[in-house]
Amino acid sequence: MNIIKEYYEKKYTELCILSDTEKCKTTLMRNNDTGQLVVKKIMNKAALDVYEQLKPIKNKNLVKIFDCYIDEDKCIEIEDFINGRRLDDYVTNQKIDYNQCIQLIVDICMALEELHKM
């Protein structure tokens, strides 16, 4: 068995499936020691390269990636759980004023700036 997979299977308890699509299965997990919530994503193994590049980034506007590894033919990625709505849900279903709109745009630009540095 993959030692990293074994570590995460012992460290986290699955709480619920957040989404399950053809591209990605997303599961909410709880750290057995700290109670911290994380998200586990199971994707095509081709995603590993992207997540390995994103892993070292520390930016308040991007989710923190804790680890990623290959298990058989899948990429497994563990990231911080962000409690809130997705951007598309927020913009589509929420009335936002001018200042909130500007702040969202600034936050997105700051995240993109960090990604473009790479």
Side-chain angles (χ1 to χ4, degrees), residues 13-98:
T13 299
E14 182 176 315
L15 299 177
C16 66
I17 295 173
L18 298 174
S19 72
D20 192 358
T21 67
E22 233 178 86
K23 289 185 175 184
C24 180
K25 180 178 180 181
T26 306
T27 307
L28 181 64
M29 312 285 281
R30 181 181 309 278
N31 183 309
N32 294 323
D33 297 324
T34 67
Q36 176 187 16
L37 296 175
V38 298
V39 171
K40 174 183 173 183
K41 293 183 178 181
I42 303 172
M43 303 162 280
N44 182 294
K45 69 180 178 181
L48 182 70
D49 290 338
V50 172
Y51 283 98
E52 285 289 351
Q53 291 178 37
L54 294 173
K55 188 176 169 184
I57 295 175
K58 309 269 189 281
N59 183 288
K60 71 174 188 137
N61 296 305
L62 296 169
V63 69
K64 169 72 177 128
I65 298 171
F66 297 119
D67 210 345
C68 46
Y69 59 93
I70 294 291
D71 180 37
E72 296 178 11
D73 65 337
K74 299 292 182 189
C75 170
I76 311 296
E77 184 254 350
I78 309 292
E79 66 185 41
D80 199 11
F81 172 69
I82 307 297
N83 190 10
R85 289 184 293 248
R86 293 170 16 147
L87 178 61
D88 61 339
D89 292 337
Y90 188 81
V91 173
T92 303
N93 301 320
Q94 184 82 19
K95 300 267 188 221
I96 58 174
D97 65 30
Y98 179 77

